[in-house]
Every structure is written in C-alpha cells, then in structure tokens.
Amino acid sequence: MLEVMMSRSDRASDTSSPGPTDTSSPDAGPRADLELSSTVAALTADELNQSRRRQLLRRLVGQVRTGRPGNLFKPKAAVRWLTDTVAEIAPHIPVRDRETLLRHFDGLDGDALADRLVRNAVRATAGVGAAGGGVAAVEWAATPTLLSAPVLLAAETVTVVAIELKLIGELHEAYGVRLPGGTSQRAVTLLRSWAAQRGVNPLLPGVGVGAVLGTAARNELRDRLLRRFGRNLTTLGPFLTGAAVAGFLNGRATRGLGDRVREDLRQGPKALGG
C-alpha cells in the first residue's frame, strides 16, 4: 500500500508545476533544518493542547514541504530522508535530566516517575496521530491531496519518533542511568536504543564519547522507521476515522516501547547486555 500511494504521488508530482528555485543564501539550508528541529522539539512538550499540537504539525508539514519535498515521493528516498532527518533532530530533543524531572513532577521517582513519563508520551503520540488525522481530513477535501500525503506522513513520523526518543532518555534518568558523553553522543545512543526498542547499558563499549551511528545501527534505524512510516498510513483514513485509528496505534506503540525500556532498566546491567 505504501509503495502504491507513493507511486501515485510520484506520477502526480511529475505533472505538477515545478517548485520554486532556491535563490536564498548558502545558510538557508542549515537555517531551515534548525527551524524544523525547533518545531519538532516544541511538539515533544508534555502538555500541548490539541489546537496547539495541530498548529505545530501544520507548521512542520509546511517546513517539510518547502525543504526537500522531492525526496518524499519515492519510498526508498523517503525512508532515507526520514533516517537523515531523525538523526539530525535527535541532538535538539529536550531530554530533561533527573533533577529537572524531580522538580517538574513534585518529587516523583523511580516507577512512579516512569509511569508518568510513559503516560504523557502516550498522550503526546496519540495526540499527534489525531492531529495528523485532522490535517489529513482537510488535505483530502482539497487538491492536490496525493502530493500532500507523503509530506504529512513524514512530519507525523518524525514527530512521533522524537517524542519516543525523549521518553527513552527521560526513563533512563528516572532510573538513575545517565547516558555518558555530550549532546551528540547521547543522541546517537538514544537513536540506537529506539531502533532496538531496548534500554541502554552506558558501560558497554560504543556508548557515550566517540559513539557513532554505524552502518548496522543505521540500517536498523532505517528498517524501524520504514515500519513506523507504513503504520502511519492510517492517518490518511477517510474523515475522522484516520485520526482515531492513528491516535490509538501511536499510543499503543509508545506504551509498548516505554514498557520494554523500563523493564530493562529495572533489571539492571544484566538485562541491558552488561
């Protein structure tokens, strides 16, 4: 289904008028990437109301569309774009440290804090699915719908992954497992954890300073993103059924991820591969 939809989008894009030529400064690309990362970071906040979430998602759709839309009209290129974009935004995701979490959640700790973090992340990813479905309902009522579909799917997928990366990082903090290294190294570790759907043992080689997203880990990330991207096709369901189903599936997947990671963290180094 994914390849059929993308193929139809590809044919539609061939008959449409070409997009605007980029005549901006050489810094336009990095600036656009930073703006996209900023929007995604805002979408990971715990207590967004649905109106604000939909507003931010529409902004993200616009940023994706005006950035590199041609990459999203073929499945392989789309997944490559997703992999590059998720890797690029990961260092910008605002993961709160243990001290900040304790202050923010009135001293909740351990399992109680983890429960709250998982609950909030489930609400957030379900909300993204519902917001995406609402945006889709508008897009499908107007033309050109097929040109918009891959962009919406990409925006929703990137947002859901960002929320789950934040959840993984904060669950580690909740259980006192602080990931070593600077921002970039921790981002790589979180990406590897998300791709494997497991907690991280910070004592293992390759975690922390000097860690890189190697070929095997990048392929695992790509494959996981492909599955997530395909599942988000439910967003394009007719009317508001897409919103309901997408919200349910997003929330269920996030809860499953949270439960697996926290179980690893509860069991300690042995469960984490130490």
Side-chain angles (χ1 to χ4, degrees):
M1 182 176 179
L2 174 61
E3 295 208 7
V4 170
M5 186 274 290
M6 300 292 263
S7 176
R8 291 172 67 191
S9 297
D10 194 26
R11 290 197 300 271
S13 67
D14 288 341
T15 59
S16 63
S17 58
T21 301
D22 184 8
T23 58
S24 56
S25 69
D27 293 333
R31 185 165 59 247
D33 291 341
L34 187 58
E35 290 173 355
L36 187 147
S37 295
S38 177
T39 302
V40 173
L43 277 160
T44 67
D46 286 339
E47 302 297 338
L48 285 178
N49 62 48
Q50 199 61 354
S51 175
R52 177 59 175 161
R53 184 174 284 114
R54 189 174 294 112
Q55 180 186 40
L56 286 169
L57 189 59
R58 283 175 176 158
R59 179 194 298 173
L60 183 61
V61 167
Q63 290 168 337
V64 173
R65 180 182 288 127
T66 58
R68 306 180 187 87
N71 289 355
L72 300 179
F73 294 122
K74 295 181 180 179
K76 288 183 179 179
V79 175
R80 185 165 56 248
W81 181 89
L82 280 171
T83 305
D84 291 343
T85 300
V86 167
E88 190 171 279
I89 66 171
H92 301 280
I93 296 171
V95 176
R96 292 166 291 191
D97 61 23
R98 180 177 174 79
E99 292 74 20
T100 302
L101 289 170
L102 292 175
R103 288 197 305 270
H104 188 89
F105 292 103
D106 298 324
L108 287 180
D109 201 359
D111 284 338
L113 177 56
D115 284 341
R116 185 70 62 86
L117 293 173
V118 172
R119 186 195 72 178
N120 288 351
V122 167
R123 286 181 176 177
T125 59
V128 169
V135 172
V138 174
E139 295 286 349
W140 282 96
T143 56
T145 56
L146 287 175
L147 289 178
S148 302
V151 176
L152 175 58
L153 290 174
E156 181 180 338
T157 301
V158 166
T159 302
V160 168
V161 174
I163 292 168
E164 292 181 349
L165 289 170
K166 179 178 180 179
L167 172 63
I168 292 172
E170 293 184 349
L171 283 175
H172 282 76
E173 292 287 335
Y175 286 104
V177 183
R178 178 159 293 183
L179 302 179
T183 301
S184 296
Q185 287 74 32
R186 288 195 297 270
V188 169
T189 302
L190 290 177
L191 287 169
R192 293 167 64 184
S193 176
W194 184 86
Q197 303 279 285
R198 296 293 304 271
V200 175
N201 185 347
L203 301 180
L204 288 178
V207 175
V209 178
V212 295
L213 196 62
T215 301
R218 191 174 183 85
N219 288 341
E220 188 175 20
L221 175 62
R222 180 203 61 204
D223 292 344
R224 181 72 61 181
L225 282 167
L226 178 59
R227 290 194 289 273
R228 180 61 58 90
F229 189 61
R231 195 195 67 214
N232 284 348
L233 282 169
T234 54
T235 294
L236 304 179
F239 303 107
L240 295 180
T241 59
V245 175
F248 170 76
L249 292 177
N250 278 354
R252 185 177 67 178
T254 299
R255 183 172 297 282
L257 169 65
D259 289 345
R260 287 188 294 274
V261 170
R262 66 186 297 189
E263 186 61 26
D264 283 347
L265 293 169
R266 280 198 200 102
Q267 294 181 31
K270 184 176 180 179
L272 297 172

